[in-house]
Amino acid sequence: MKKILQLLFFLLSSNVSALVGVGTFVPHAFKAQVSTEGGREFFAINPYVALNAIVPIRGDHFFNPEIGYVFHTENDDETSAHTLFVSYNFTYKLNHLFILRYGLTTFAFMNGGDGEEVTLRNGNSTATFYSPDETRTSYVSSLDLGGEYFFKPRYSVRFQTYIARFLSSDARSVYYTLSVNYY
């Protein structure tokens, strides 16, 4: 606890800036099937909001911890889904317009429901499944890589990829965010 308080004091007393970002989060991009014809998910509207700290390290390198919350919109009526994530990213300022981002993120996927039956397509027929009757949380870590472009001095757009389960060739998945940020 003492070390966390020391870190908090350091962050508040040093030359730390902040940014707020809003955008969309796309989980399982290019992997999740979204149509009966086998179409894959390329883009989804899952609004998220995030808060970042910008801690100078040395020269054009910065530490950018981020906390974000995703509101999933593409759920059945019987279920709810939310995601909380914490990123431990570093940035490198390539020039006054572009920043390279890299690091790690931990996601907490929270899914819940009312325990009702849900009938879903299963190949050429349908199958009955049950929504959870309480909220369940699963945790996933990712390896991150992204870029940020400044279109005005205090405004930027960011595209960031998250490679989840990056050590598993079978379970590996790619998420991404697209956001507008205010410094």
Side-chain angles (χ1 to χ4, degrees):
M1 182 67 172
K2 183 179 176 183
K3 290 188 182 218
I4 292 173
L5 291 174
Q6 289 173 336
L7 177 63
L8 201 62
F9 178 75
F10 169 75
L11 292 175
L12 294 174
S13 65
S14 63
N15 187 20
V16 174
S17 301
L19 75 89
V20 175
V22 294
T24 189
F25 171 74
V26 180
H28 310 292
F30 320 110
K31 190 172 186 178
Q33 184 172 328
V34 294
S35 70
T36 56
E37 294 80 29
R40 304 287 181 205
E41 181 164 68
F42 174 71
F43 184 77
I45 300 294
N46 293 306
Y48 85 94
V49 61
L51 180 62
N52 287 247
I54 305 159
V55 182
I57 295 176
R58 182 179 225 189
D60 291 333
H61 281 92
F62 300 87
F63 176 55
N64 289 109
E66 174 180 42
I67 185 164
Y69 188 77
V70 180
F71 307 90
H72 293 272
T73 59
E74 298 178 357
N75 297 322
D76 294 324
D77 291 339
E78 296 84 6
T79 63
S80 65
H82 306 278
T83 300
L84 179 67
F85 64 91
V86 178
S87 295
Y88 316 96
N89 283 299
F90 295 91
T91 57
Y92 178 70
K93 184 178 174 183
L94 294 173
N95 57 44
H96 70 285
L97 293 176
F98 193 76
I99 293 175
L100 177 66
R101 301 178 61 88
Y102 56 96
L104 301 169
T105 296
T106 301
F107 291 93
F109 292 99
M110 296 164 276
N111 295 296
D114 55 11
E116 297 290 320
E117 289 184 0
V118 180
T119 302
L120 300 172
R121 292 188 54 79
N122 187 9
N124 292 330
S125 63
T126 60
T128 301
F129 300 91
Y130 293 91
S131 67
D133 59 358
E134 62 185 0
T135 299
R136 299 286 184 175
T137 303
S138 60
Y139 298 92
V140 176
S141 294
S142 70
L143 188 61
D144 310 344
L145 183 61
E148 196 166 338
Y149 174 75
F150 285 84
F151 59 92
K152 287 189 174 182
R154 293 186 154 291
Y155 294 90
S156 68
V157 292
R158 180 194 320 166
F159 178 78
Q160 184 146 335
T161 59
Y162 306 86
I163 304 168
R165 298 176 193 92
F166 51 89
L167 296 177
S168 171
S169 60
D170 295 332
R172 187 178 302 127
S173 189
V174 176
Y175 314 150
Y176 74 84
T177 56
L178 184 59
S179 65
V180 175
N181 306 290
Y182 174 72
Y183 284 78

